[in-house]
Amino acid sequence: MIVLKFVKKILMTLCWCIAIFGIYLFIQKYMLGNSFFTLFGYSIFKVQTGSMSGAIEQNDIIVVKIGNEDIEPQDIITYVENNYFITHRVLTVENDIIITKGDANNSEDKPINRGQVLGEVVYVIDMKLLKKVFTDTNVIIPGVITLFLFIELVTYKEKAGEKSERKTDKENRDEENKKNGNEDEGNK
């Protein structure tokens, strides 16, 4: 019973967090008119092309720190051009003019203004690796066993707690019977 209450609390908390996050994203998109979502100064994008192949592959997820102040050559940035988000490596920075190039591209991009820069890529999530990890039997089987053992441990502690509560209740009845002088009734 305690386990079910615990699981229910976790699921309810998770549902509330998802609902609040959904409302936050709705406000950003439809009320503030943002074309991308931000959370604590970061945004997430899915890479659509292989122009950065080697560093970032197609379908990888990138985490971008919003801001265009500290851009230096060799940084990987995301910028907006013609309503598209482009993620390329910085080659040169001169005042507010930045020249970028995709690692897998043959030519430089046309110069952009610092104002077009959304932010710097700070983390890349390799989706191929992630899919491989969660579909690998060497990960799935130990994960299922660990989950099963955790559930057994929690329910065992719960059952042990119920037994000690029952024993305490019986001891309480025996003590009450002794006080009343009915020792024989406690043994029935």
Side-chain angles (χ1 to χ4, degrees), residues 38-51:
T38 63
L39 186 63
F40 304 121
Y42 292 87
S43 191
I44 297 174
F45 295 93
K46 181 178 180 183
V47 176
Q48 300 295 320
T49 69
S51 67

Side-chain angles (χ1 to χ4, degrees), residues 60-150:
D60 283 353
I61 304 295
I62 57 172
V63 178
V64 177
K65 183 177 181 184
I66 306 300
N68 59 12
E69 297 83 30
D70 299 323
I71 299 170
E72 298 176 1
Q74 298 305 311
D75 287 348
I76 299 174
I77 62 169
T78 298
Y79 63 93
V80 181
E81 186 173 50
N82 298 327
N83 293 325
Y84 290 103
F85 296 103
I86 300 170
T87 300
H88 283 168
R89 189 175 305 276
V90 174
L91 296 179
T92 61
V93 178
E94 292 181 21
N95 299 325
D96 281 346
I97 303 298
I98 300 169
I99 297 177
T100 62
K101 177 182 174 285
D103 289 357
N105 291 351
N106 294 327
S107 61
E108 297 176 350
D109 302 329
K110 65 182 184 177
I112 60 169
N113 293 323
R114 187 177 293 272
Q116 292 176 263
V117 175
L118 184 64
E120 181 181 353
V121 175
V122 293
Y123 194 73
V124 178
I125 301 169
D126 184 356
M127 292 306 290
K128 290 179 187 170
L129 180 63
L130 203 57
K131 285 180 183 177
K132 183 179 179 182
V133 166
F134 286 106
T135 58
D136 186 1
T137 56
N138 292 333
V139 173
I140 293 173
I141 292 172
V144 169
I145 291 171
T146 302
L147 181 64
F148 175 74
L149 291 174
F150 175 75

Side-chain angles (χ1 to χ4, degrees), residues 13-24:
T13 303
L14 184 63
C15 288
W16 276 109
C17 289
I18 290 170
I20 290 169
F21 186 66
I23 291 168
Y24 175 74

